[in-house]
Amino acid sequence: MQNGSLISSSKLQRTLIKINSSNDFEQLYSEIDRAMAELFSYQACVVLASRSKDAYRTIATSSILFNDESWYEYVDLFARGISENEQFIPHAVSEYDQTSINKTLLSGLNNSLVFKLSELCGQGIILFTGLLDPPSDTYTNDLNFITLLEQVYLKADQLQKSHSRTSSLLSLIANMTERADLFKELASEWFWRTDTENIFTCVDELAPHDDLYSQFFIGKSALKLRSDNEMQHLRKWAQFRHILTQHGDFFEFEFELGCQRHLWISLSGKAQFTSLGEFNGYMGIAKDITYAKDREIAYKQAKEKAESANSAKSQFLAVMSHEIRTPMNAILGMVELLNDTQLTNQQKEWLSYAQSSANLLLGLISDVLDFSKIEAGTLTLDNSEVHLKELIHSIAAQFESHSEAGKLNFEQIIEQSVPSIVKGDSTRLGQILFNLLGNAFKFTSYGRVTLHVSVIENSVKIQISDTGIGIAEQDLSRLFKPFNQVSDSVKRKQQGVGLGLSITKKLIELMQGSITCSSLLGVGTTFTVSLPFEKVCIPEIENEVPVKQRTLSILVAEDNKPNQVLIEALLKKLNHKVTLTETGSEALNAIKANDFDLVLMDMMMPVMDGLTATKYIREEMSLTIPIFALTANAGQSDKVNCLNAGMNKVLTKPIRFIELSNAISSLYDAPVKK
């Protein structure tokens, strides 16, 4: 070292040149690291400017820990360094242990070397944090070292001020640019003028730096400006030419430009005339509507996509309806056929359970797959005869096997006043009973479940009580909400999606009834349902003889083998002759070769579907033979399509014996009485 200095004069000179030529803080700290490498090792260098007597602010730091930090709380920590120009702080955290000052920042100040600078630097401070070893000697007596620190401070202050000015300028420019763009977007009209040949001669644009419009419009007519897509709209442009020929005014005529940019323009123009009344061209305004038009097109595409998705969903539901109802037709039909055979009492009882469950399943499937109801968000109720007592016994019988001797008893009380037959919806009423009884047995392991049916005034009262786990009072309010269960724990014993009670409540309200629940946790629960009813009196018909149908020759077009067997059995039970085909084309060949009294036509078949075959029979063959549709598609539009194709009736699967018999009877026979 020269003259005992920590930093030689030549090294100081080289270092100061590099420090002053630094363009950013990264270069500055790199030069500081090189200068201090031979003196001591540190973790971070922080430059502080004095704001007032007791406050400092960070103007530069090599560690993000000290960014934007105000140092007025730490002044007494530097007290000795401020008075003596140099200080070593070994334990910053311990000195402020009982305060609310940021402990993470304090820990970063451990083993820090503090230098107080002269008035030249506004009494600023430079910190070197995290020294590996305490300094053995003072540094402030070395003139070269102090000069280096002062130059570091002055350069950091210069960079900070330059950065601040640059940031402010960039922010101002960005703000002005944003305002200019916004103004241009919101005030996008510009003026134009044409000559007597409707050629643009003048375009006064809002933004003079963007001369796209003047370059593209000048010397051309609107007809020459349109894009290839616009040329396809012949009627639109023919009408526009007619207006120009008549020298009429036009307002917001929209078209796409055929230029290097994607642009839509809206033109509004008014014809100009000389003092002698001679046409002198058009004058008007134009507006860039690209953004609005793009949104309009995007909305249209989104709408078409949504409609396509809705159509696909409807098609999916229609196919699912067909695929599910087809096997259900065979199941219910075979059960009905079995019911007419020689069975034991136990077999009849089992068959009754199967039939009741299948009917209930069919009702639920109908709800899910009837897309018109799903779209409308409504349910409609049937209003036909309900054998109430039989229905209650049938539903209740399905739960008798749940009770175990000595553990759970199932008590059924149906009072004599309960009518045998009422007007209503058998499927929905069965669904209500099934849901409530299922709920009771689900949450009752010991004790008793009671079904009590009675009549109060003009309402049927159904009360289902259990001695199960019960429901807490605070949970009763969300009992009938969809997708809600009393226990939301993943470890709950009973699983489910929580829809049963909400569906039950909606069905009861559709029936103009009410449902209430009372419960005590650990004691049990009681659901009480009140449903208004209309009693049905069945008059006795004396001397009526069964309807006897004449033997018909019937063609059945059905591709499903189990359904072929079922329909053939039902028709032969009615004493009809049956011919089976599997496709629409086979049915046409059979009709050409034979005379039939009736055709039962499935809608969906391979090779040729039922609708196509029916249209051919009506239009090409000009035959009036009765055609009944056999369809598993339960939607209203499917029925309309069948009738529009020329079918006489629509029979929805599953086909019941009595429905099939009545449909044929209504066409050919009438009831016979003595």
Side-chain angles (χ1 to χ4, degrees):
M1 287 182 195
Q2 183 178 345
N3 299 326
S5 294
L6 297 173
I7 302 175
S8 67
S9 297
S10 58
K11 182 177 181 181
L12 175 63
Q13 185 176 7
R14 291 194 302 273
T15 302
L16 293 180
I17 291 173
K18 291 182 180 179
I19 286 176
N20 287 314
S21 62
S22 298
N23 295 320
D24 52 42
F25 287 111
E26 185 177 354
Q27 288 182 341
L28 175 62
Y29 282 114
S30 177
E31 295 304 326
I32 296 173
D33 287 344
R34 289 193 184 96
M36 299 300 171
E38 298 178 1
L39 303 180
F40 50 80
S41 297
Y42 61 93
Q43 291 182 350
C45 177
V46 187
V47 181
L48 307 179
S50 175
R51 300 178 62 181
S52 62
K53 180 180 178 182
D54 297 326
Y56 291 84
R57 63 181 176 86
T58 301
I59 63 171
T61 174
S62 61
S63 171
I64 60 173
L65 181 64
F66 307 106
N67 278 347
D68 302 321
E69 182 63 37
S70 295
W71 296 80
Y72 63 90
E73 295 176 307
Y74 307 91
V75 170
D76 54 343
L77 185 66
F78 311 137
R80 188 165 60 83
I82 293 172
S83 61
E84 300 179 5
N85 298 328
E86 180 179 344
Q87 175 190 5
F88 180 72
I89 304 172
H91 304 294
V93 174
S94 62
E95 296 189 31
Y96 279 82
D97 195 44
Q98 302 302 318
T99 70
S100 60
I101 294 177
N102 189 324
K103 299 298 188 297
T104 302
L105 188 142
L106 281 172
S107 64
L109 293 175
N110 286 337
N111 296 327
S112 293
L113 195 57
V114 183
F115 294 99
K116 170 76 176 298
L117 303 178
S118 65
E119 289 291 341
L120 176 66
C121 301
Q123 295 186 333
I125 290 177
I126 293 183
L127 298 175
F128 292 96
T129 69
L131 270 68
L132 298 180
D133 300 306
S136 56
D137 297 312
T138 181
Y139 293 95
T140 53
N141 294 330
D142 190 300
L143 182 61
N144 287 354
F145 182 80
I146 294 301
T147 301
L148 175 62
L149 292 185
E150 289 177 344
Q151 289 301 311
V152 166
Y153 178 90
L154 293 173
K155 185 60 180 180
D157 185 50
Q158 178 190 354
L159 288 174
Q160 194 274 335
K161 289 177 180 177
S162 176
H163 177 74
S164 178
R165 286 194 298 269
T166 302
S167 297
S168 298
L169 183 59
L170 290 175
S171 177
L172 179 61
I173 292 173
N175 186 264
M176 293 178 66
T177 302
E178 183 180 4
R179 290 185 181 184
D181 290 342
L182 181 62
F183 180 75
K184 184 178 179 180
E185 180 180 347
L186 297 180
S188 56
E189 292 89 354
W190 40 272
F191 294 97
W192 55 267
R193 185 165 191 141
T194 67
D195 59 16
T196 55
E197 300 298 324
N198 298 318
I199 304 298
F200 286 94
T201 59
C202 175
V203 175
D204 185 13
E205 300 185 49
L206 180 67
H209 65 277
D210 187 358
D211 59 352
L212 170 70
Y213 298 122
S214 59
Q215 286 184 357
F216 192 65
F217 276 71
I218 299 298
K220 297 178 182 177
S221 68
L223 296 174
K224 297 293 184 181
L225 295 172
R226 52 185 175 166
S227 66
D228 292 339
N229 290 332
E230 286 293 333
M231 293 182 183
Q232 308 301 318
H233 302 288
L234 301 179
R235 177 178 293 184
K236 168 183 173 180
W237 286 94
Q239 292 174 347
F240 183 65
R241 278 196 296 265
H242 177 73
I243 293 174
L244 297 181
T245 302
Q246 299 298 317
H247 301 157
D249 300 339
F250 53 90
F251 179 68
E252 293 186 352
F253 178 73
E254 301 176 355
F255 66 98
E256 184 182 22
L257 291 178
C259 62
Q260 61 266 36
R261 280 199 216 168
H262 169 61
L263 286 174
W264 276 81
I265 296 296
S266 171
L267 291 180
S268 297
K270 187 174 182 65
Q272 303 298 305
F273 298 90
T274 66
S275 59
L276 299 177
E278 297 177 347
F279 176 63
N280 198 30
Y282 274 93
M283 181 181 290
I285 60 173
K287 185 177 182 179
D288 185 340
I289 59 169
T290 307
Y291 177 72
K293 206 67 183 178
D294 286 346
R295 287 188 63 184
E296 178 186 326
I297 295 172
Y299 173 78
K300 183 179 179 181
Q301 291 174 343
K303 183 181 178 183
E304 291 174 352
K305 186 177 181 180
E307 290 174 349
S308 176
N310 187 61
S311 176
K313 180 189 70 175
S314 300
Q315 181 64 26
F316 169 76
L317 291 175
V319 172
M320 288 302 296
S321 173
H322 182 273
E323 295 303 318
I324 293 176
R325 285 176 177 271
T326 297
M328 283 298 296
N329 179 56
I331 293 170
L332 284 169
M334 295 302 179
V335 168
E336 195 170 10
L337 288 175
L338 280 174
N339 226 0
D340 287 340
T341 61
Q342 294 294 325
L343 301 172
T344 65
N345 290 335
Q346 189 179 51
Q347 288 173 331
K348 287 183 178 181
E349 183 180 7
W350 290 343
L351 202 59
S352 175
Y353 296 163
Q355 191 171 34
S356 177
S357 296
N359 283 328
L360 183 59
L361 177 60
L362 180 63
L364 297 176
I365 291 172
S366 296
D367 279 348
V368 175
L369 298 179
D370 192 341
F371 57 88
S372 62
K373 294 177 185 176
I374 294 172
E375 291 298 322
T378 60
L379 290 172
T380 57
L381 297 176
D382 187 20
N383 190 30
S384 57
E385 295 178 2
V386 179
H387 293 262
L388 184 58
K389 288 185 177 179
E390 289 184 12
L391 177 65
I392 295 171
H393 283 301
S394 178
I395 296 296
Q398 298 179 54
F399 292 93
E400 290 178 349
S401 61
H402 289 62
S403 61
E404 301 177 22
K407 289 186 178 181
L408 181 62
N409 295 322
F410 182 25
E411 183 180 4
Q412 304 172 42
I413 304 171
I414 303 176
E415 297 184 1
Q416 290 294 327
S417 58
V418 176
S420 298
I421 303 177
V422 297
K423 283 281 189 180
D425 191 318
S426 177
T427 300
R428 305 303 181 191
L429 186 55
Q431 187 177 348
I432 291 168
L433 286 169
F434 194 88
N435 283 346
L436 293 177
L437 283 172
N439 220 52
F441 279 96
K442 184 189 296 184
F443 296 102
T444 307
S445 300
Y446 302 92
R448 183 181 66 257
V449 173
T450 302
L451 169 63
H452 186 184
V453 186
S454 59
V455 172
I456 298 179
E457 295 180 352
N458 294 322
S459 296
V460 174
K461 180 181 178 183
I462 303 172
Q463 202 166 51
I464 298 175
S465 306
D466 65 65
T467 58
I469 60 176
I471 305 168
E473 184 177 355
Q474 64 269 22
D475 293 325
L476 288 174
S477 60
R478 60 188 182 95
L479 192 62
F480 295 106
K481 292 182 179 179
F483 301 104
N484 259 282
Q485 290 191 328
V486 172
S487 174
D488 290 328
S489 169
V490 294
K491 296 181 180 179
R492 63 177 184 265
K493 181 179 178 181
Q494 306 298 340
Q495 300 293 325
V497 295
L499 279 175
L501 288 178
S502 63
I503 293 175
T504 298
K505 186 174 187 292
K506 185 171 184 179
L507 291 175
I508 291 170
E509 290 173 348
L510 284 172
M511 295 178 181
Q512 307 300 316
S514 63
I515 180 171
T516 59
C517 175
S518 59
S519 184
L520 287 175
L521 198 61
V523 177
T525 304
T526 298
F527 284 94
T528 303
V529 177
S530 179
L531 293 172
F533 72 91
E534 178 187 348
K535 188 175 180 180
V536 177
C537 296
I538 306 297
E540 294 185 5
I541 301 176
E542 298 181 357
N543 300 323
E544 182 177 338
V545 297
V547 174
K548 185 177 181 181
Q549 297 180 347
R550 63 184 177 88
T551 300
L552 304 176
S553 178
I554 300 177
L555 172 66
V556 178
E558 167 65 63
D559 63 310
N560 183 270
K561 188 64 177 178
N563 282 331
Q564 285 182 356
V565 174
L566 171 63
I567 296 172
E568 184 178 20
L570 293 177
L571 292 174
K572 286 185 176 180
K573 187 177 178 181
L574 292 169
N575 199 34
H576 297 307
K577 296 178 181 178
V578 182
T579 301
L580 296 174
T581 59
E582 294 187 357
T583 67
S585 56
E586 289 181 8
L588 294 179
N589 292 332
I591 292 172
K592 292 175 182 178
N594 302 280
D595 292 328
F596 294 102
D597 299 306
L598 174 65
V599 177
L600 299 181
M601 184 82 73
D602 186 24
M603 276 186 65
M604 297 179 66
M605 294 181 292
V607 183
M608 180 184 290
D609 61 77
L611 292 178
T612 304
T614 300
K615 289 179 180 178
Y616 188 89
I617 292 170
R618 297 296 189 226
E619 297 172 4
E620 302 298 327
M621 301 176 68
S622 301
L623 297 179
T624 59
I625 179 175
I627 302 175
F628 290 177
L630 297 177
T631 175
N633 299 337
Q636 184 63 31
S637 61
D638 297 307
K639 296 178 182 179
V640 172
N641 290 337
C642 291
L643 296 175
N644 289 340
M647 296 182 178
N648 302 84
K649 283 185 180 295
V650 179
L651 302 179
T652 303
K653 296 177 182 178
I655 307 297
R656 307 295 179 85
F657 175 76
I658 188 65
E659 293 174 355
L660 182 61
S661 177
N662 289 339
I664 297 174
S665 297
S666 67
L667 200 58
Y668 293 101
D669 299 298
V672 179
K673 293 186 179 181
K674 290 184 178 180

